[in-house]
Amino acid sequence: MDVLRPELLWIDGRCYRKNFLSDSPLETGPDEMEEEDEDDDVAMTTGCRDMYADESCDIVPLQKTDRGYKLTLDLPSDLYKFIIGKKGETKKRLERETKTQVQIPKVGAGGEVVITGTDRQGVMSAMRRVQILADSGRAKLPFTHFLSFPLTATPIKKGFQEFKSNVLSECGQDQGIDESIFQNPDKLHLTLTTLVLLTDKEVAAAERVLAECRDDIIAPLLQGSPLQVDVRGVEYMNDDPAAVDVLYAQVHLQDGSDKLQTIADGIVEKFVSAGLTEREYDRVKLHATAMNTLFRKDPSASPDKTDRKVAGKGRPLKDRESFDARNVLEIFGDFHFGNTDLNSIHLSERFSSDSKTGYYNCAAFVELT
């Protein structure tokens, strides 16, 4: 941990910092925890006690009561199980070590997580540990939404259909290539980032940040001019062209500028700063998935984070059948899918289809011009 730039936690719209105290790292960190491993949950709460101070920063939503102190957290019910732990052991240990009581609503009942105790520091410590457990649990959940540039203009869809037909005709006998691994042309898109949005409140927060991106990033850069792109060429994700899981089309601005990359990076930075997503790379890798072996089992799968992990489990796919892309790359490496304008950015709902367009359902959007 960088002590000069500690990690920040956003709780109920307020910012808290994690203060480093111990020279010894956590033996089991949030990213290493298994969902059903009781020992890991216990290690997590124990590690939190040792690593993080009970110092608050900024305004703390803490109430003084006749019996001590009370604090409430508005957390999605999907995260309760990570706070409770297997057979309730995580919650029991947290309460015992902080000398507090943590009241968690029943799933579906609504309400807030309430932390009470006689000692202020104990209540604050419990709050931090609850939030850390919730954050680590959220990281294990499959993403629910993603920010996307739709690539569904007629010229691009026609170009993709031609690409699919030609690949099946000339490379259909190659290992692993069949019709099932091609993207649905109605869902062609560029992904900016993925999000886990579990409540209407979180969706509304994402919508507000997207509107800020339009005003602070997109409008000043484009000044009303369109983003005209050329979709040309294919590349693959991994190192071995004979064993590929994802093959994608490359997208280039026709004017040769880096405006699209600048917009993409700026938007992701905004969402990271708002605590709505996590940064995976220094720069957004702009690509339009054309073939994905995940589609063999689930034609509705969104070709992003699940390229690397089983959705919701955080464990690598072991039964995924790759395909031999060497002939595809040799024959169609410079295939031209077409030209189009990027007109909008959508907050798209995963595993959905709009009844009119066939694209993903749109939770929010901004126009680019």
Side-chain angles (χ1 to χ4, degrees), residues 248-268:
Y248 61 90
Q250 298 176 302
V251 178
H252 316 273
L253 277 184
Q254 292 182 24
D255 64 6
S257 74
D258 62 352
K259 289 180 181 178
L260 178 57
Q261 187 70 55
T262 300
I263 288 173
D265 293 339
I267 289 174
V268 170

Side-chain angles (χ1 to χ4, degrees), residues 90-102:
T90 301
K91 175 176 173 290
K92 291 175 185 176
R93 180 153 188 168
L94 188 156
E95 291 176 320
R96 182 168 65 251
E97 293 180 348
T98 60
K99 295 180 174 59
T100 60
Q101 295 78 47
V102 180

